[in-house]
Amino acid sequence: MATQYNFLKPYTFKNGVTVKNRIVIPPMTEAAALENGAISQDELRYFDIHTGGVGMFIAPVMNVSDDGKGFEGEPSVADDKFMPGLKKLANTMKQNGTKAILQIFHAGRMSNSKILRGVQPVSASAVAALRPNAETPRELTNDEIEQIIEDFGQATRRAIQAGFDGIELHGANTYLMQQFFSPHSNRRTDKWGGSLENRMRFGLEIIKRVHQAVEEYGDDKFIVGYRISPEEIEEPGIRLDDTLKFIDVLADQPIDYLHVSMGYAWRASLNDKSDTEPIVLKIKETVNGRLPLISVGSIETPADSEKVIDAGIDFAAIGRESIRDPKWVQKVELGQEDSINYQLSLTELDELGINSAFLDFLYALNADLHLVGSDRPKDDFVHNMGGVEGN
């Protein structure tokens, strides 16, 4: 008999939309789109295999602007020409009641002129990221900032018209929305930078524009989420105090959930080693019931997921584990937990829909997938590089 886990219970958002369970597949890049950003047949096959069990499936991040592309094989939502593939993707993901959410972003300085085919990356300020071979971006003008905000609105329109159940704004993992919030990447002295309130402005204006698109093209059942990274290690950089103040503002915006992006769900502060309280619990206290939370990071087993829900977090996201076993939820529902696959064999790649481009991407990230049958290194997953569980 199946264990009656709390994460198998449905959740109803304040807008009345009910999600069938509390398990989420977070956005995970598979680097398998066509070169121009169109959805590929390989991607559709992958989603067809992996959807149907979880309550919400968040698609890999898509760029809203041509100069917002962050990596090769990234799908795009920057033009109406992508609509046929987007419609197929939404339809494929929405199986057996799973809600299909489309994550959207602009990579900002976390790109390079090779990926952008000769175009210099852009950001809040002309400050390079602290990573090997990072290019110095060009500082965006006010008009360009306004255009990117509009691009987020148009991307939301396309997501609605393609049939997705919602979008997630990628304000995490060092991409452009986070770059405007960060005092490391944002050295501006105009209305878009300087004070904490000014550094919040870009994200809040995007939320406002997205809300307008939902009101015009969708309805109140369309879900809007926001993903956030709590800290940076750069100096100057984002610290928890500023993040909690931002989250206090976000909780009163027209969004439906907050997705906390971390490599380990129960991680405490990176910068204040004396503070041992898990960050997600600090965020829960700040939100104070105004928004549901999604927690992610090394959640693999049913017990891991139940621990999240029992702590009062509304959703648990399983990333790498969902790659290894697309039927994770179904096995738990049927009381077949012992048959859950916690390893990935090279002999299973085709039946899991993992093509060679996706596998190479996972290797490049050093994503620890408990891979068997390979002599390649299996280093710990590097979260902030993007990709698995982080985009």
Side-chain angles (χ1 to χ4, degrees), residues 229-242:
S229 291
E231 288 181 297
E232 293 176 337
I233 57 174
E234 289 85 355
E235 186 63 52
I238 297 170
R239 297 297 181 263
L240 265 180
D241 185 52
D242 279 358

Side-chain angles (χ1 to χ4, degrees), residues 76-87:
S76 176
V77 66
D79 194 283
D80 285 347
K81 70 181 180 181
F82 299 119
M83 287 297 291
L86 293 170
K87 289 178 179 178

Side-chain angles (χ1 to χ4, degrees), residues 205-217:
E205 287 298 315
I206 287 174
I207 291 173
K208 186 186 301 182
R209 180 64 187 89
V210 163
H211 184 61
Q212 291 172 353
V214 172
E215 287 192 315
E216 183 173 356
Y217 298 100

Side-chain angles (χ1 to χ4, degrees), residues 27-45:
M28 294 184 293
T29 297
E30 9 81 353
L34 301 181
E35 185 176 0
N36 72 343
I39 299 295
S40 69
Q41 291 300 313
D42 277 358
E43 288 180 296
L44 293 175
R45 180 169 181 265

Side-chain angles (χ1 to χ4, degrees), residues 6-23 55-56 99 256-257 289-293 312-315:
N6 289 316
F7 64 73
L8 292 178
K9 295 177 181 177
Y11 180 89
T12 301
F13 289 101
K14 290 179 181 177
N15 65 3
V17 173
T18 297
V19 181
K20 66 178 183 176
N21 61 52
R22 313 296 186 91
I23 300 298
M56 289 198 299
K99 300 296 184 184
D256 298 291
Y257 70 78
R290 288 174 289 171
L291 283 177
L293 299 178
I313 309 302
D314 306 277
F315 293 93

Side-chain angles (χ1 to χ4, degrees), residues 79-319:
D79 194 283
D80 285 347
K81 70 181 180 181
F82 299 119
M83 287 297 291
L86 293 170
K87 289 178 179 178
K88 290 178 182 176
L89 179 60
N91 186 60
T92 300
M93 293 173 70
K94 292 163 65 171
Q95 294 182 32
N96 195 31
T98 293
K99 300 296 184 184
I101 311 294
L102 178 59
Q103 191 189 59
I104 57 178
F105 89 147
H106 189 298
R109 71 179 185 177
M110 300 302 283
S111 188
N112 60 60
S113 55
K114 181 180 178 183
I115 290 170
L116 298 177
R117 306 300 186 259
V119 175
Q120 183 182 8
V122 295
S123 187
S125 299
V127 179
L130 297 183
R131 59 172 184 160
N133 306 312
E135 294 181 17
T136 300
R138 178 177 62 79
E139 180 174 303
L140 288 160
T141 67
N142 184 74
D143 286 348
E144 288 172 327
I145 293 170
E146 296 286 358
Q147 181 57 54
I148 291 172
I149 293 169
E150 175 62 21
D151 291 345
F152 273 93
Q154 293 300 323
T156 303
R157 169 183 62 81
R158 294 182 186 108
I160 293 167
Q161 293 175 338
F164 285 93
D165 296 299
I167 58 113
E168 180 175 280
L169 294 170
H170 198 355
N173 297 27
T174 73
Y175 295 123
L176 187 64
M177 292 181 71
Q178 181 175 327
Q179 288 163 34
F180 268 87
F181 185 60
S182 168
H184 183 272
S185 41
N186 187 348
R187 313 291 176 94
R188 302 176 75 98
T189 57
D190 60 3
K191 69 176 184 178
W192 302 105
S195 68
L196 176 62
E197 289 72 21
N198 282 356
R199 287 185 283 115
M200 292 181 190
R201 191 184 308 275
F202 184 64
L204 296 177
E205 287 298 315
I206 287 174
I207 291 173
K208 186 186 301 182
R209 180 64 187 89
V210 163
H211 184 61
Q212 291 172 353
V214 172
E215 287 192 315
E216 183 173 356
Y217 298 100
D219 56 37
D220 59 2
K221 305 301 183 188
F222 190 79
I223 299 165
V224 176
Y226 194 104
R227 198 173 208 209
I228 194 166
S229 291
E231 288 181 297
E232 293 176 337
I233 57 174
E234 289 85 355
E235 186 63 52
I238 297 170
R239 297 297 181 263
L240 265 180
D241 185 52
D242 279 358
T243 293
L244 293 175
K245 290 175 182 174
F246 187 26
I247 286 173
D248 190 40
V249 174
L250 285 174
D252 291 329
Q253 302 305 306
I255 58 176
D256 298 291
Y257 70 78
L258 188 68
H259 189 172
V260 184
S261 181
M262 293 191 291
Y264 175 55
W266 302 104
R267 180 170 68 72
S269 175
L270 292 171
N271 296 293
D272 183 359
K273 299 301 183 183
S274 67
D275 186 349
T276 58
E277 182 184 14
I279 290 173
V280 72
L281 297 184
K282 293 179 183 291
I283 292 174
K284 177 192 166 203
E285 182 180 2
T286 300
V287 169
N288 194 26
R290 288 174 289 171
L291 283 177
L293 299 178
I294 299 176
S295 183
V296 68
S298 302
I299 299 170
E300 299 183 352
T301 67
D304 293 338
S305 301
E306 193 72 351
K307 180 181 177 182
V308 170
I309 305 304
D310 286 348
I313 309 302
D314 306 277
F315 293 93
I318 57 169

